[in-house]
Amino acid sequence: MTEINFNDFAVSQDILSALDLLEYKQPTAVQQKVIPVVLDKKDAIVKSKTGSGKTAAFGIPLCELAEWEENKPQALILTPTRELADQIKEDITAIGRFKRIKAIAIYGKQPFAHQKTELKQKNHIVAGTPGRVLDHIQKGTIAIDKIDYLIIDEADEMLSMGFIDQVEAIIKELPSQRTTMLFSATLPEEITKLSDLYMNNPEKIEIDSSH
Ligand code: ADP
Ligand code: MG
């Protein structure tokens, strides 16, 4: 197989330098498949196991596509736990450091008022748990009109934790002209149903666990 490097993708030097600092030398299998699809702004359903590098698979193209000048969030990443939201925020901050991408994490059991203030300031990418994100949408404390990208991370975990209805409620509020990517380790029927309803002819990407 031909060797693929990060500089084979249409990503800028700011991002490549950040990946250097992170010591990401080569894209993982899921990154090789997903990065060009997100850069093309196409919908996709990605089945790939834990630890395969899914955060950077969406984080790299989202940092590349984000317009620094825009003050309102351009990407929303839904994830089942607070820990994952914080991790995604940190990873995206690291990938987007030279582009000065501002990522924030929004989740329950944290003061709402503080998040409200944070959401008012310039930010490009929001990672959050469904309940609290929906709360902010319903109270009008998060600007959603510039959201071009929705990432549903760990979709099967969202399902088993009972968050799918909240995910669906959020999707219904977002601008319909957007790119939607769904990531999951398994693809139960409820997940494929959700994608049939809310995704636009998604590309199916399955990474063989032996890679
Ligand atoms: P997943 O979301 O698929 O469970 P993560 O995105 O959390 O996986 O990545 C797992 C680990 O691999 C993290 O510690 C991350 O920093 C690291 N990683 C991701 N991509 C690369 C890469 N291209 N090269 C080296 N390490 C990587
Ligand atoms: Mg992950």
Side-chain angles (χ1 to χ4, degrees):
M1 211 176 97
T2 344
E3 203 173 87
I4 296 180
N5 295 301
F6 284 112
N7 60 15
D8 293 322
F9 303 122
V11 295
S12 57
Q13 189 55 49
D14 277 352
I15 306 293
L16 294 174
S17 302
L19 297 175
D20 257 359
L21 267 187
L22 284 166
E23 297 187 356
Y24 287 8
K25 300 203 188 317
Q26 277 198 311
T28 64
V30 70
Q31 290 162 6
Q32 292 182 22
K33 289 269 174 64
V34 169
I35 291 171
V37 176
V38 188
L39 287 172
D40 277 351
K41 306 182 183 180
K42 287 189 195 133
D43 286 7
I45 303 176
V46 184
K47 179 171 174 277
S48 182
K49 65 176 176 148
T50 301
S52 56
K54 292 192 284 295
T55 311
F58 57 77
I60 292 168
L62 289 183
C63 284
E64 177 65 27
L65 292 165
E67 291 171 22
W68 189 86
E69 297 75 16
E70 176 57 58
N71 289 327
K72 293 179 181 175
Q74 297 160 61
L76 175 64
I77 301 155
L78 297 175
T79 191
T81 70
R82 290 179 258 170
E83 292 75 18
L84 283 168
D86 273 331
Q87 187 63 51
I88 291 167
K89 173 197 159 172
E90 276 172 34
D91 289 353
I92 287 185
T93 303
I95 294 166
R97 62 190 296 159
F98 296 119
K99 208 176 153 183
R100 291 183 295 136
I101 293 298
K102 176 91 175 112
I104 61 176
I106 295 292
Y107 41 76
K109 301 206 175 75
Q110 265 216 332
F112 192 89
H114 169 75
Q115 292 175 352
K116 192 176 154 182
T117 309
E118 225 184 351
L119 282 164
K120 266 193 206 147
Q121 288 154 9
K122 182 182 187 78
N123 65 79
H124 303 98
I125 298 175
V126 176
T129 52
R132 186 55 70 96
V133 168
L134 186 57
D135 207 4
H136 280 286
I137 291 175
Q138 286 166 345
K139 293 193 169 83
T141 46
I142 179 173
I144 53 171
D145 56 311
K146 296 287 180 186
I147 291 182
D148 288 328
Y149 310 96
L150 170 67
I151 310 289
I152 304 167
D153 189 31
E154 308 246 358
D156 50 355
E157 287 295 317
M158 303 261 218
L159 183 68
S160 58
M161 292 170 80
F163 294 157
I164 280 297
D165 291 347
Q166 289 167 328
V167 171
E168 193 169 355
I170 292 167
I171 296 175
K172 286 181 179 163
E173 298 290 337
L174 296 179
S176 51
Q177 278 288 348
R178 56 153 207 274
T179 299
T180 308
M181 310 277 303
L182 185 150
F183 291 79
S184 206
T186 58
L187 290 177
E189 205 193 317
E190 289 93 330
I191 299 295
T192 47
K193 253 196 257 167
L194 194 75
S195 74
D196 288 345
L197 276 173
Y198 299 107
M199 295 174 79
N200 180 18
N201 192 20
E203 190 159 319
K204 295 210 170 60
I205 299 173
E206 260 187 61
I207 305 299
D208 189 325
S209 55
S210 63
H211 290 158

